[in-house]
Amino acid sequence: MAKPMTKSAIADHLAKKAGLTKKAAVGLLDEIAALAHKEAKNTFTLPGIGKLVLVNRKARMGRNPATGESIKIPAKKVVKFRVAKACKDAVLAKK
């Protein structure tokens, strides 16, 4: 399996494709990430990739794997990423 792209490699690729400097491409990536963090509570969508959504989890009963004791897991909010259909189709396409 190939190694995942690093932030630097992504910035380099974007800089070459868009005719930007690498510093500007890194700034663009940082700005997109900052905007995603700020807007995740309202749902942040990257068209063709997916969206960040805030989900409320209910309280539930769990089990301590070490002792087998039942414990109550409290309700909480979590951030989830939902992959877009276009992305799934492109990545999982039959060859």
Side-chain angles (χ1 to χ4, degrees), residues 44-64:
F44 179 79
T45 303
L46 282 172
I49 306 279
K51 62 184 173 180
L52 287 172
V53 292
L54 189 62
V55 177
N56 292 316
R57 283 196 180 159
K58 295 179 182 176
R60 60 191 170 94
M61 292 302 291
R63 190 169 299 277
N64 181 336

Side-chain angles (χ1 to χ4, degrees), residues 5-81:
M5 288 182 77
T6 62
K7 180 180 175 181
S8 179
I10 294 169
D12 191 43
H13 179 79
L14 287 175
K16 288 178 184 174
K17 280 294 234 192
L20 302 169
T21 64
K22 192 170 178 182
K23 187 174 183 178
V26 168
L28 181 65
L29 285 174
D30 288 340
E31 192 58 37
I32 290 171
L35 184 61
H37 299 161
K38 180 180 164 194
E39 294 297 322
K41 62 182 169 262
N42 301 323
T43 302
F44 179 79
T45 303
L46 282 172
I49 306 279
K51 62 184 173 180
L52 287 172
V53 292
L54 189 62
V55 177
N56 292 316
R57 283 196 180 159
K58 295 179 182 176
R60 60 191 170 94
M61 292 302 291
R63 190 169 299 277
N64 181 336
T67 63
E69 175 187 2
S70 291
I71 57 172
K72 183 173 169 127
I73 301 170
K76 62 182 174 179
K77 291 181 181 180
V78 294
V79 177
K80 288 190 173 187
F81 186 78

